Amino acid sequence: MTERYSTLVVNRDICTGCRACEVACSLAHEGCFWPEKSRVQVYKQEADGVDYPVVCRQCDEPACMEACPAEALKRNPKTGAILVVEENCVSCGACVDACPYEGARLLEGEDKPLICDLCGGEPSCVQRCVVHALKYRNVSGQVITAPVQAITLPQEKLR
Amino acid sequence: MRKGVLHVNIQGGYAGTILKVDLTDGRVAKEALGDEIKSYLGGRGLNIRKLFSLVDHHTDPLSPQNPLLFSAGPLAGTMFPGGARFNVSAKSPHTGILGDANAGGFFGPELKFAGYDQLIISGRSVKPVYLLITDDRVEIRPADHLWGRDVWETQKALQEELKDSRIQVACIGPAAENGVTFAGVFANLVRTAARTGMGTVMGAKNLKAVVVRGRGCIPIHDRERFQDLLNRIDEKIYAHSDYQARAMMGTTKLVNALNKFGCLATRHFLAGDFAGADAVSGEELAAQLKVKSKACFACTIPCSRFFRIPSGPYAGLASEGPEFEGLAGFSSRVGCDDLGFALQGVDDCNRLGMDVITASECVSFVMECYAEGLLSRDELDGLEPHWGDQHAVRELLRKIVYREGIGNLLARGVRHAARELGRGTEKLAMHIKGLEVFQADPRGLKGYALGFALASRGGDHLRSEPSFEFSNDPDEGMRRYGAKESAFRLEYKGKGRLVKHYEEWSALSDCLSACKNTIVNMEIINFEEGAELLQSLSGIPFTGEGVQQACERVLNLERAFIVREGIRRSDDTLPERFLKEPLPGEHPSKGSVVELEAMLDEYYEARGWDLNTGIPTRETLIRLGLEDVVGELLAARVPVV
């Protein structure tokens, strides 16, 4: 049996495009409001109402880990999240090129890639996604969401 | 990459820099944000402080001497829900007084991430240009290829040209290029700083767009404290009785809500109840056409929506939006109960780049003039704009933008059109100080009526929005405003103090650049909590009292601005219909008119303004630290006593 990993579950159809996930991620990792450095990035086509959170999928067989020449990517033993071992990383960008989902980014002027680490098992982005376009499925298969759910489409009660 | 180096006194929240661009000579300058933020907070407050000094009563709004100010306050770009906004200010080419408009979306935060709290654009370019701000780099680029394109085409072309979908574009459409005086500044296609013609000022500068890409951060002084405050704010929002309705419908819920009170502007305010309201309501929009919720930057109250019309004459129309103002503007106000059409009317205004409130007033004004025989078919270029005539509405919108025939007359708003036309049309022009009123009938909303009459940018609801008058809570009314009546929309007593308070509360929201729906209407933060947030972000020791006083200062400075332009008490009034014609219909506001004078007295007294003239007294201005303003006003021969 293969090992089970936790992951973020993305539903692009209901994403509001607010980018609260980006702000939360940057606050958790950088200690300030810094969407550019967020591990999750919301791509948009405003004219078509497309809002698409892009983030590491924590693949079962990660192309990034395979591509890394320096053993700088390893799994968090608790969550299975792919972590960057900074002292090993040689900033070659092979992981970024290998990822088919644009889940890893290497910013201009920075030397380490940005990859979602699932905040050690309590993803901060999920807590601010009130429409539940981002959910967290942990190793035991439990699904965790924001503490509230905004009703976004009509229900009988409202009519 | 910038990591947010601020000067020693400001540790976060703010970006720390004011950017100045002169389009005449191409000069770019940057200066550190100064102590004025302690007195004016940011956003709208920072804009009026600068604008008051940069122009005066001689300045021609369409001249290079009129600057255009963009400002994003200290909550923009933070995790505060709805910290998404920006203000655009200049002297208004539409009203001749204060021009100021506000929009949400993503532009305001991006300006902050690029490192700027305020952008001051002066001068005029000879040729069409756009401004590209990428963090520290500022370029003025040619925009000949964009001139003439609509708002949506412009944003798309810029995203393609710059090969970056994360740029934020604030641009103008053909309305602004053609000098329509109520053209807006549009961000994220539909997020509009709509009122008072700020897009028109941009057009007069030959500035097609401001494009921003900010890759820096906004630091936080005390992260733990901020997080604690945010947790409390979150709890309040999530537990709010309105939360789910707002997530579902946003402001579009007002169509049905106001209709029930008999306060929904119907056929140009000839009625307050609209038989077709259900068909064009927020509920109907959510049930039939909504695809999903949408939200501004980092907002946890997704009050906007993306819709798509699947069938019928407007099949294929898809967009984010609209707000109540547009939805009612192109339905009840023009007497049309076709939801698809209302959305199309809003879309026309969005793409062509003009204010839906003023545009729908222009159209409904013409409809009433036509119905009354004050405008003939010949004068209307062959149009016969009966109530609800969809073709006529769209044609009038197009004619306004391209200044054709009757459209040319309407392109400066209804005050101008009625003055030109004469023959009694002046009474039908629904404006205050030259700015057209929105789609709520103030006859059944006495506090709103007072707010309209007083608003510093002319006929406007967003300067006060005294929603407490819907509360029906007499004890709270007594506690807050010293009058039980203040809690009831049809009563008068206490409304002066109510409006004063809500004006300052709304100013708080505009100065911080966070959403008024959140801060004011949902009552999520007061002045004390605002001060705590500001302190946790910036490290500056703000107090609740100090923040309230800053808002009061902003209101007084705006008043001083319009007083310098000649505004007096006699201008703080309403269109005659609201004062004299009892509201018809069978509904809870039946027979109402607005009795304004006693409310005005109470208001001026609460403000410390002269009862006879409506001019802030010397004592009031000095109490607020506005000694220089006293001098300015006296120099302009304003009788300050």
Side-chain angles (χ1 to χ4, degrees):
Chain A
M1 184 183 147
T2 54
E3 233 175 314
R4 295 184 67 173
Y5 304 121
S6 42
T7 189
L8 290 174
V9 183
V10 176
N11 182 350
R12 61 190 282 182
D13 293 339
I14 56 171
C15 173
T16 68
C18 77
R19 295 168 56 190
C21 52
E22 295 182 9
V23 186
C25 177
S26 69
L27 184 62
H29 291 91
E30 313 295 334
C32 62
F33 309 113
W34 201 349
E36 186 66 12
K37 286 204 75 173
S38 167
R39 276 77 174 157
V40 52
Q41 297 276 303
V42 181
Y43 286 94
K44 302 187 179 211
Q45 292 166 36
E46 284 172 344
D48 303 315
V50 171
D51 302 282
Y52 187 7
V54 175
V55 65
C56 171
R57 298 184 181 201
Q58 314 294 353
C59 303
D60 287 344
E61 292 172 21
C64 57
M65 284 176 80
E66 206 165 299
C68 179
E71 292 184 28
L73 296 175
K74 63 164 195 188
R75 295 271 189 186
N76 175 325
K78 189 176 116 205
T79 62
I82 297 163
L83 302 181
V84 180
V85 185
E86 298 213 348
E87 56 272 28
N88 292 358
C89 177
V90 294
S91 311
C92 65
C95 54
V96 176
D97 294 340
C99 177
Y101 307 113
E102 296 182 38
R105 292 158 67 235
L106 191 56
L107 297 182
E108 185 189 318
E110 302 258 323
D111 55 5
K112 301 292 177 258
L114 294 171
I115 300 175
C116 170
D117 62 3
L118 297 173
C119 292
E122 290 176 14
S124 50
C125 53
V126 167
Q127 292 304 308
R128 296 209 75 72
C129 187
V130 293
V131 295
H132 299 187
L134 280 178
K135 299 185 212 176
Y136 176 57
R137 195 184 64 229
N138 69 16
V139 276
S140 12
Q142 235 179 341
V143 175
I144 291 157
T145 64
V148 68
Q149 182 167 23
I151 301 169
T152 57
L153 286 171
Q155 298 185 338
E156 285 310 306
K157 268 185 219 161
L158 203 92
R159 293 293 301 159
Chain B
M1 188 175 298
R2 196 181 60 87
K3 293 194 176 168
V5 183
L6 296 179
H7 56 77
V8 284
N9 298 321
I10 309 171
Q11 313 268 318
Y14 296 91
T17 303
I18 295 171
L19 176 64
K20 295 177 168 180
V21 178
D22 189 321
L23 294 175
T24 303
D25 59 16
R27 244 177 342 144
V28 173
K30 293 170 191 175
E31 67 181 48
L33 192 64
D35 272 350
E36 64 264 45
I37 56 163
K38 292 178 189 164
S39 306
Y40 296 92
L41 308 180
R44 174 177 149 196
L46 195 58
N47 274 5
I48 184 61
R49 179 65 265 185
K50 301 276 180 189
L51 188 67
F52 187 86
S53 311
L54 289 170
V55 301
D56 66 18
H57 49 301
H58 301 300
T59 310
D60 172 357
L62 295 176
S63 71
Q65 282 70 45
N66 190 20
L68 185 67
L69 294 84
F70 287 75
S71 207
L75 290 184
T78 71
M79 211 192 257
F80 183 88
R85 306 194 70 91
F86 65 103
N87 265 68
V88 190
S89 315
K91 188 166 171 180
S92 168
H94 186 64
T95 62
I97 58 169
L98 174 63
D100 182 56
N102 176 294
F106 298 82
F107 182 86
E110 198 75 11
L111 191 64
K112 298 272 296 287
F113 296 128
Y116 310 104
D117 303 285
Q118 191 177 42
L119 163 65
I120 303 179
I121 300 167
S122 58
R124 173 195 282 157
S125 168
V126 178
K127 290 184 137 195
V129 291
Y130 75 90
L131 186 62
L132 176 62
I133 301 167
T134 315
D135 301 318
D136 293 339
R137 203 169 72 238
V138 180
E139 297 165 74
I140 300 169
R141 294 186 162 204
D144 305 88
H145 60 302
L146 300 171
W147 208 254
R149 294 209 200 182
D150 77 23
V151 167
W152 287 45
E153 292 165 348
T154 301
Q155 174 165 318
K156 185 163 184 264
L158 283 164
Q159 283 173 339
E160 283 168 7
E161 178 174 330
L162 298 166
K163 297 182 180 63
D164 186 352
S165 65
R166 279 171 78 94
I167 56 168
Q168 297 301 328
V169 176
C171 69
I172 57 170
E177 296 171 10
N178 297 339
V180 174
T181 60
F182 48 95
V185 177
F186 286 71
N188 307 106
L189 307 178
V190 299
R191 294 276 168 194
T192 319
R195 309 233 68 196
T196 69
M198 297 300 90
T200 316
V201 174
M202 213 163 137
K205 295 188 175 308
N206 269 320
L207 179 62
K208 181 67 179 175
V210 178
V211 182
V212 184
R213 181 72 168 93
R215 294 174 297 188
C217 81
I218 300 168
I220 313 174
H221 164 68
D222 185 343
R223 184 178 158 187
E224 213 169 301
R225 182 94 190 96
F226 177 82
Q227 191 64 60
D228 279 353
L229 291 165
L230 191 68
N231 292 345
R232 268 163 39 196
I233 288 164
D234 284 346
E235 279 172 31
K236 240 196 242 182
I237 290 175
Y238 300 156
H240 198 284
S241 57
D242 260 6
Y243 181 69
Q244 297 297 358
R246 284 176 186 273
M248 178 84 77
M249 293 181 283
T251 58
T252 63
K253 76 187 166 98
L254 286 172
V255 172
N256 267 343
L258 286 171
N259 193 52
K260 284 194 188 90
F261 290 129
C263 297
L264 179 65
T266 300
R267 293 183 298 281
H268 201 233
F269 299 99
L270 286 170
D273 54 334
F274 182 51
D278 264 333
V280 295
S281 63
E283 286 83 350
E284 187 68 8
L285 174 59
Q288 303 302 332
L289 304 178
K290 180 174 178 177
V291 175
K292 65 171 181 176
S293 284
K294 292 280 290 173
C296 290
F297 184 85
C299 192
T300 51
I301 312 161
C303 75
S304 182
R305 76 212 59 71
F306 195 83
F307 70 83
R308 180 171 281 114
I309 302 180
S311 59
Y314 302 103
L317 177 64
S319 173
E320 186 185 342
E323 297 298 328
F324 162 73
E325 288 83 343
L327 185 57
F330 292 105
S331 59
S332 62
R333 192 166 187 151
V334 297
C336 181
D337 64 1
D338 182 331
L339 178 59
F341 171 73
L343 299 169
Q344 183 63 62
V346 176
D347 187 63
D348 286 349
C349 289
N350 286 343
R351 288 177 194 259
L352 297 171
M354 56 186 173
D355 175 7
V356 290
I357 298 176
T358 294
S360 62
E361 165 58 14
C362 286
V363 169
S364 55
F365 165 79
V366 164
M367 287 174 145
E368 189 177 355
C369 288
Y370 178 72
E372 289 295 309
L374 297 167
L375 272 172
S376 69
R377 185 174 177 272
D378 281 353
E379 288 171 303
L380 294 168
D381 314 324
L383 291 173
E384 294 181 82
H386 298 286
W387 295 116
D389 184 328
Q390 303 183 8
H391 168 73
V393 172
R394 294 194 70 190
E395 264 302 282
L396 285 167
L397 293 177
R398 193 188 60 76
K399 283 171 176 290
I400 289 169
V401 172
Y402 294 101
R403 313 286 300 250
E404 288 175 18
I406 182 71
N408 193 44
L409 183 74
L410 295 167
R412 292 170 66 185
V414 293
R415 178 174 66 178
H416 172 81
R419 274 181 190 161
E420 293 285 308
L421 282 170
R423 49 183 115 153
T425 57
E426 292 93 336
K427 301 201 292 198
L428 305 185
M430 295 296 168
H431 73 88
I432 299 158
K433 303 180 180 78
L435 188 65
E436 291 75 5
V437 299
F438 93 132
Q439 349 293 2
D441 196 309
R443 282 171 285 191
L445 311 162
K446 313 302 185 192
Y448 277 76
L450 180 63
F452 286 10
L454 287 160
S456 58
R457 60 177 178 174
D460 174 66
H461 56 296
L462 295 169
R463 285 310 213 224
S464 51
E465 286 211 279
S467 44
F468 178 75
E469 70 176 351
F470 292 109
S471 71
N472 299 331
D473 182 347
D475 295 338
E476 185 65 6
M478 182 55 104
R479 195 185 69 75
R480 284 196 193 185
Y481 308 111
K484 292 181 174 179
E485 293 87 343
S486 65
F488 300 92
R489 66 187 175 84
L490 292 171
E491 300 287 338
Y492 290 102
K493 214 172 153 204
K495 293 294 167 73
R497 292 182 291 274
L498 168 76
V499 166
K500 174 184 182 286
H501 177 221
Y502 270 80
E503 280 186 333
E504 286 157 15
W505 209 350
S506 294
L508 174 69
S509 156
D510 291 339
C511 290
L512 302 183
S513 292
C515 184
K516 213 164 281 169
N517 285 322
T518 315
I519 290 186
V520 183
N521 297 127
M522 291 172 78
E523 306 204 355
I524 295 302
I525 62 168
N526 57 24
F527 298 109
E528 281 71 27
E529 289 153 332
E532 285 182 72
L533 272 171
L534 276 174
Q535 185 160 350
S536 71
L537 285 167
S538 69
I540 301 169
F542 284 101
T543 64
E545 197 186 344
V547 166
Q548 180 272 330
Q549 204 178 68
C551 295
E552 201 182 346
R553 189 176 292 115
V554 169
L555 262 303
N556 275 272
L557 188 53
E558 289 180 346
R559 182 67 176 186
F561 186 100
I562 66 174
V563 152
R564 188 173 60 181
E565 299 293 338
I567 296 296
R568 297 291 182 269
R569 175 171 178 149
S570 57
D571 300 295
D572 295 340
T573 188
L574 297 171
E576 194 179 288
R577 171 160 296 162
F578 303 141
L579 300 172
K580 292 189 175 161
E581 293 175 24
L583 187 49
E586 288 302 323
H587 50 70
S589 303
K590 180 190 174 183
S592 296
V593 292
V594 181
E595 292 164 28
L596 206 51
E597 298 308 318
M599 289 197 292
L600 281 172
D601 284 345
E602 187 189 301
Y603 174 87
Y604 295 134
E605 199 170 322
R607 274 257 169 266
W609 293 357
D610 184 81
L611 279 184
N612 296 315
T613 61
I615 298 171
T617 61
R618 181 190 295 263
E619 189 190 338
T620 298
L621 292 172
I622 288 175
R623 177 174 65 78
L624 294 168
L626 296 171
E627 291 85 354
D628 64 313
V629 172
V630 176
E632 283 282 335
L633 291 181
L634 290 173
R637 297 172 189 277
V638 174
V640 181
V641 293

